[in-house]
Amino acid sequence: MASRKRRSSIWIHFVEVGPQKAKCKLCNNILSGQGGTTSNFRRHLQNKHPTALLMQVGQEDLAETIQATTIISTPSPKTEASTTSRRGIVVKRPRKNVRPPIRPKRERNIDEELTKMIALDLQPFSIVNDKGFRNFLKAIDPSYIFPNRKTLSAIVLPQLYDRIKAELMVKVSNASAVCLTTDCWTSQTNTSFMAVTCHYIDDNFKLVSSLLDCFSVTDNLANELKNICEEWGITNKVVACVSDNASNIQAAIRQAGWKHVACFAHSLNLIVMESLKHIQETVTKVRSVVQYVNTSTVATERLKATQRQMGFEELTLKQDVVTRWNSTYYMLKRFWEQKEPIIDILALVNPSLATLTLDEWDIIKETCEILKPFEEVTVEISADRYVTASKVILMARGLQKAVLRSRGAWSTHVPVIAMLEEFKEQMQNHFHQIEHFRLLAEATLLDPRFKQRAFHDTTASDEAAKSITTAAARLATGTHGHQPRPADAPASTPSEQSSFWEDFDERVADAVTLCNPTSTAMSEMRGYLADPLVPRSEDPLVWWKARESIYEGLTAIMRRRLCIVATSAPAERIFSKAGQNFSERRNRLSPNKVRQLVFLNANITTPEEKST
């Protein structure tokens, strides 16, 4: 910076004090001029001394105006301009390509939107140094001065994080009941993180999901979870916590005093992975073929050419992930769909590869048909935008019936028969008491699409109805106190206490219904169960919103049950994006920066999302 000639007018307000450093003459702050540019100095003036910058621009305009003023003493008849000049009129030439400096408020807004883009699109902070990006943004607004990456990460990001978090805290703290989901993940740098998501039904009867925190794991998970709930004002509002079967997470949930709900998708994963072991030989053959084709340029090109020749769509083969059963299903499904092209190329590109027999091709086909219902259930149950816990009992029973139908249907292959037997046994072990799991049973009964029809065991539905009624009565007692009074009875007036009302009051005394919380809750339950079921495609929360005034007590319990999600997929999705945060260009992020970026990525609402 010292070796260059100082051409920028910004040096009017600064004096150089060291290599790539300068001191502001107005406030004596020392600033960095990293890279030899003066952008940081100009931003300092705009934010701290905006009037100084405006005065500087005005002085430059004045100097140009004086320079453009010409008094010509010798008359010149050639142009009207000379006549005008001869009269002493000041001529001011417009400055070319000069815009007024960007206002500080607009600059802050752009800085914030830039930080949002980095969080939402998982971009590195160094994007502000990318030449193409800088040229693009300069074309949009030449007056915008880029912040450096340190300003974004150390100042703008924490400020945005604090603001979004404060706004979200108000919404979450107003919820009457919440369900939490948790999951753990280890980064490329061997740092363990835990994500905690929150789900609740808002005042508009919408199921809302928010990420509360994504923190570096410590030895005491229970304290961390309690501290998060205390910070967000939901300590006494947690009705359930959903997680996989990891022992450390389950122990932390128990220590926190919450009810644990096992992730339904995780249970399905365990069931299917155990059952697929009976066709492992066939799966291994398919996996080796897929791996070879996907890593061989010759094989890949030959597959595409064969697909074109046979009229197939040009699709690549899918490689599975051994820990995810659905990826194995997708691999087998694609492999079966591309059977003819695969058979055609295998003998030509690599005769040494193990070939599949006709029986093994049949096993692949039958396995795909058996796994299809499991894949459909997994996709539907993993959502976090609509009610899912009330579907678990129905889906578990439906999958059991699907396996029984497959067992008595068509398969003659020993591996497939063994796989079906394993499915039956595994589901019996996981789901035999599912209708008696209170939280899921109550959520199912309070879903107007299902009610008692979802239960095979009438005892389970009766128990759920009784526990809901008791909870509604207890909640009403705590809300309204213990003093019963006649329903809808107005305050007594002198005329009502007159003697001529005594005879009537005595005759109707037994007919007056008192506001007993238990009888009110029982009446609501009877009315609710007598209402017809709504179509399965309808949103149950819309139904409850329209009937809140009719079933006031049940609505309060409904908020505590239908907010429960069936899986920990919301927390798992956090980490699928968190993994993208650690890339070649951003592999030195501190745990705190990861926390802030992941939080913003999950909780920033785009204009498109606001409109839906």
Side-chain angles (χ1 to χ4, degrees):
M1 191 163 65
S3 61
R4 295 185 182 181
K5 184 178 179 181
R6 298 173 185 168
R7 290 182 249 177
S8 175
S9 58
I10 208 73
W11 288 103
I12 297 173
H13 305 288
F14 289 89
V15 59
E16 189 173 2
V17 295
Q20 297 187 349
K21 289 186 178 181
K23 183 171 71 172
C24 175
K25 296 179 180 178
L26 301 175
C27 63
N28 293 327
N29 280 339
I30 297 177
L31 306 175
S32 171
Q34 188 176 8
T37 66
T38 59
S39 298
N40 199 28
F41 306 153
R42 187 173 296 275
R43 287 176 64 85
H44 175 75
L45 286 182
Q46 287 179 335
N47 293 331
K48 302 297 184 181
H49 316 292
T51 55
L53 198 58
L54 291 173
M55 290 175 61
Q56 177 185 326
V57 173
Q59 290 172 358
E60 292 173 358
D61 288 345
L62 179 61
E64 193 167 328
T65 301
I66 295 172
Q67 187 177 5
T69 304
T70 307
I71 305 296
I72 302 178
S73 58
T74 306
S76 174
K78 291 183 179 180
T79 62
E80 292 183 7
S82 62
T83 305
T84 305
S85 298
R86 206 168 40 242
R87 292 173 181 170
I89 296 176
V90 175
V91 180
K92 179 180 179 182
R93 292 195 302 271
R95 300 176 66 190
K96 296 181 180 179
N97 300 325
V98 174
R99 289 193 178 190
I102 188 170
R103 294 182 179 274
K105 182 178 179 181
R106 172 169 168 75
E107 185 178 64
R108 287 193 297 271
N109 289 340
I110 297 177
D111 289 348
E112 188 173 282
E113 291 301 321
L114 176 58
T115 307
K116 287 182 181 180
M117 183 204 75
I118 289 173
L120 286 173
D121 298 340
L122 306 174
Q123 296 289 344
F125 289 108
S126 60
I127 192 174
V128 295
N129 298 328
D130 292 349
K131 185 176 180 181
F133 179 74
R134 294 177 71 92
N135 290 341
F136 170 72
L137 209 52
K138 278 296 183 184
I140 296 176
D141 190 347
S143 62
Y144 177 63
I145 300 173
F146 283 84
N148 58 47
R149 57 189 296 180
K150 288 186 177 180
T151 300
L152 281 180
S153 64
I155 298 177
V156 184
L157 176 66
Q159 290 176 348
L160 179 62
Y161 169 79
D162 290 339
R163 183 175 67 79
I164 298 294
K165 184 176 180 179
E167 293 173 357
L168 200 58
M169 274 185 169
V170 175
K171 298 177 182 178
V172 172
S173 62
N174 288 333
S176 59
V178 301
C179 169
L180 302 181
T181 71
T182 66
D183 193 35
C184 290
W185 169 79
T186 302
S187 70
Q188 294 178 1
T189 58
N190 289 324
T191 303
S192 295
F193 291 90
M194 172 179 270
V196 181
T197 65
C198 171
H199 311 267
Y200 61 94
I201 299 172
D202 67 9
D203 293 338
N204 293 320
F205 285 76
K206 297 290 184 182
L207 185 61
V208 180
S209 299
S210 303
L211 173 66
L212 301 187
D213 209 340
C214 177
F215 58 91
S216 179
V217 174
T218 62
D219 293 334
N220 198 329
L221 288 179
N223 278 349
E224 289 282 0
L225 293 174
K226 289 179 181 178
N227 291 339
I228 290 172
C229 290
E230 184 176 350
E231 179 185 10
W232 286 79
I234 56 173
T235 300
N236 299 319
K237 299 179 181 180
V238 179
V239 296
C241 187
V242 183
S243 76
D244 60 19
N245 294 330
S247 58
N248 62 331
I249 297 181
Q250 290 191 62
I253 293 172
R254 286 195 301 270
Q255 292 174 27
W258 303 328
K259 293 174 179 143
H260 178 254
V261 177
C263 171
F264 187 61
H266 183 72
S267 298
L268 292 182
N269 188 62
L270 295 176
I271 291 170
V272 178
M273 291 297 291
E274 193 66 30
S275 302
L276 285 177
K277 290 179 180 179
H278 294 278
I279 61 164
Q280 191 60 46
E281 184 178 349
T282 302
V283 172
T284 301
K285 282 187 177 181
V286 172
R287 189 177 291 134
S288 63
V289 172
V290 171
Q291 185 175 3
Y292 172 76
V293 173
N294 287 344
T295 55
S296 170
T297 305
V298 175
T300 300
E301 291 301 322
R302 187 57 186 257
L303 177 61
K304 290 181 179 179
T306 305
Q307 288 171 332
R308 289 193 298 267
Q309 184 180 0
M310 293 184 171
F312 281 74
E313 185 180 358
E314 290 187 31
L315 298 172
T316 59
L317 302 183
K318 293 185 176 182
Q319 186 74 57
D320 69 337
V321 179
V322 292
T323 57
R324 295 292 181 180
W325 75 264
N326 52 350
S327 68
T328 303
Y329 166 71
Y330 296 138
M331 179 183 71
L332 295 176
K333 183 172 180 287
R334 176 62 58 83
F335 201 82
W336 170 253
E337 292 169 348
Q338 299 296 320
K339 175 183 176 181
E340 295 178 24
I342 290 171
I343 292 175
D344 189 71
I345 69 166
L346 283 183
L348 297 175
V349 297
N350 191 350
S352 63
L353 275 175
T355 58
L356 280 78
T357 65
L358 292 178
D359 284 345
E360 286 175 325
W361 279 107
D362 287 342
I363 290 173
I364 292 173
K365 177 185 176 183
E366 292 174 6
T367 300
C368 288
E369 292 177 358
I370 293 169
L371 294 181
K372 184 179 179 181
F374 288 85
E375 190 270 341
E376 293 172 344
V377 165
T378 300
V379 171
E380 182 169 350
I381 208 71
S382 297
D384 58 1
R385 296 286 184 178
Y386 50 83
V387 174
T388 55
S390 60
K391 299 179 181 179
V392 171
I393 292 175
L394 278 165
M395 288 181 168
R397 296 303 184 217
L399 290 174
Q400 286 179 306
K401 286 187 175 181
V403 169
L404 290 176
R405 285 195 298 267
S406 297
R407 287 177 66 241
W410 27 256
S411 182
T412 58
H413 300 290
V414 174
V416 175
I417 294 174
M419 180 176 66
L420 288 170
E421 288 297 326
E422 188 68 41
F423 266 118
K424 178 187 175 183
E425 182 179 346
Q426 289 291 327
M427 285 195 290
Q428 178 64 21
N429 293 338
H430 282 82
F431 302 146
H432 72 288
Q433 286 291 321
I434 195 167
E435 291 188 8
H436 292 274
F437 185 60
R438 188 170 65 83
L439 293 180
L440 294 180
E442 291 178 3
T444 304
L445 192 69
L446 288 171
D447 192 321
R449 300 170 297 178
F450 310 135
K451 300 183 183 179
Q452 311 103 310
R453 299 292 183 90
F455 295 85
H456 291 185
D457 186 348
T458 55
T459 303
S461 63
D462 291 342
E463 289 175 353
K466 183 178 179 180
S467 62
I468 292 171
T469 303
T470 302
R474 188 184 305 116
L475 194 64
T477 301
T479 303
H480 302 296
H482 299 279
Q483 294 295 329
R485 67 176 184 85
D488 300 323
S492 297
T493 62
S495 61
E496 292 174 335
Q497 298 174 0
S498 301
S499 59
F500 60 81
W501 283 108
E502 291 180 2
D503 178 63
F504 175 79
D505 290 341
E506 290 176 359
R507 284 188 292 114
V508 302
D510 295 338
V512 175
T513 303
L514 298 179
C515 284
N516 181 283
T518 302
S519 61
T520 300
M522 293 175 64
S523 177
E524 286 188 14
M525 178 58 73
R526 285 195 297 269
Y528 167 72
L529 295 178
D531 280 344
L533 297 180
V534 300
R536 186 169 55 84
S537 59
E538 290 192 11
D539 185 350
L541 298 181
V542 173
W543 187 93
W544 277 106
K545 182 179 182 180
R547 290 159 180 80
E548 180 182 15
S549 59
I550 301 174
Y551 304 122
E552 184 178 353
L554 293 187
T555 301
I557 304 302
M558 177 277 301
R559 289 180 177 274
R560 303 171 64 87
R561 293 296 175 261
L562 296 192
C563 70
I564 300 174
V565 292
T567 74
S568 59
E572 294 177 11
R573 277 193 286 267
I574 297 299
F575 289 131
S576 68
K577 290 186 176 181
Q580 299 175 48
N581 271 304
F582 288 93
S583 62
E584 184 179 348
R585 298 185 66 192
R586 56 190 313 173
N587 56 11
R588 293 181 297 173
L589 289 173
S590 67
N592 191 49
K593 285 290 180 289
V594 173
R595 182 184 215 166
Q596 295 172 349
L597 287 169
V598 170
F599 179 88
L600 292 176
N601 180 277
N603 292 319
I604 289 177
T605 305
T606 63
E608 292 78 10
E609 292 171 334
K610 289 180 180 179
S611 62
T612 59

